[in-house]
Amino acid sequence: MITQGEELQDIAANDVMSLIIDVHTIMMLTAPDITGIQEAKIRLLGILEITGSQSMTELCNQMFISKPYMTRLVDSLVSEGSVERHPDVKDRRVINISMTEEGKKYLCNMLNELRIRMKAFLSGFSSSDLERISKASAEIHTTFTKNPSIKNQGTWVFYTEQNLKEK
């Protein structure tokens, strides 16, 4: 027998999955030119901004990608100067990846570009719809961050602080 709590979890899980699909669809509409590898670069740099230096294995686990793909991704970011490889001080077999200042600039520029595109998408909505979207988004964010496994806002805080410094 399903309890009321389990039923609410099912409903909430379905709603969150629907929201994720909607957001992904909006991102595809607003940024169709951003390829899979570019999206992966943004995700990887965002993770490094939140967590700091991590091993290749840890990054693979967080991004749900294979080690060979992670190697190609990191190679690409190393050649662009966005990340660096460092041997682990405790285990020299482990290679840690950290973001460079160039990587921070790249991440900030990409987030800014995505924000500009999102603003253009949102321009078709009424003021009352924009208020509803803003309030609902804030409420979802506030509720999700009550879960202790959710790290801080990380990437977005970094982005807004960088943008404020540059203006």
Side-chain angles (χ1 to χ4, degrees):
M1 184 170 147
I2 295 178
T3 66
Q4 185 177 5
E6 289 172 319
E7 186 175 318
L8 285 174
Q9 286 175 341
D10 283 337
I11 292 168
N14 289 340
D15 289 343
V16 169
M17 292 306 297
S18 179
L19 181 63
I20 289 168
I21 291 167
D22 289 346
V23 169
H24 186 265
T25 301
I26 292 166
M27 292 307 294
M28 294 302 293
L29 289 170
T30 58
D33 57 320
I34 296 197
T35 65
I37 189 122
Q38 287 171 311
E39 183 181 352
K41 287 178 182 179
I42 295 166
R43 286 179 50 220
L44 177 59
L45 291 172
I47 288 169
L48 291 172
E49 177 56 38
I50 293 168
T51 63
S53 181
Q54 289 205 47
S55 73
M56 293 280 280
T57 301
E58 291 169 326
L59 292 169
C60 287
N61 292 339
Q62 288 183 46
M63 291 184 64
F64 303 104
I65 63 175
S66 68
K67 285 187 181 183
Y69 185 76
M70 179 61 74
T71 299
R72 286 194 303 274
L73 181 60
V74 169
D75 285 347
S76 175
L77 287 166
V78 166
S79 69
E80 294 170 7
S82 295
V83 300
E84 296 174 331
R85 288 182 170 99
H86 304 281
D88 190 276
V89 293
K90 296 178 184 169
D91 185 348
R92 65 184 185 172
R93 297 170 297 173
V94 174
I95 300 297
N96 291 320
I97 309 302
S98 62
M99 186 166 38
T100 64
E101 285 302 314
E102 191 61 34
K104 289 181 181 190
K105 288 177 190 173
Y106 175 82
L107 178 59
C108 189
N109 289 338
M110 289 304 296
L111 290 173
N112 189 48
E113 178 63 27
L114 292 171
R115 183 178 174 279
I116 289 167
R117 292 176 186 205
M118 185 60 68
K119 280 180 65 176
F121 172 79
L122 293 171
S123 69
F125 291 92
S126 69
S127 294
S128 62
D129 284 341
L130 290 172
E131 285 181 29
R132 288 180 64 211
I133 290 167
S134 182
K135 286 179 183 176
S137 298
E139 184 64 30
I140 289 168
H141 176 75
T142 299
T143 303
F144 279 168
T145 55
K146 289 179 181 178
N147 184 316
S149 65
I150 301 290
K151 304 258 191 286
N152 62 27
Q153 295 177 356
T155 302
W156 193 249
V157 169
F158 157 77
Y159 163 76
T160 54
E161 287 172 357
Q162 286 293 110
N163 262 2
L164 292 174
K165 287 179 191 173
E166 292 174 7
K167 290 184 179 179

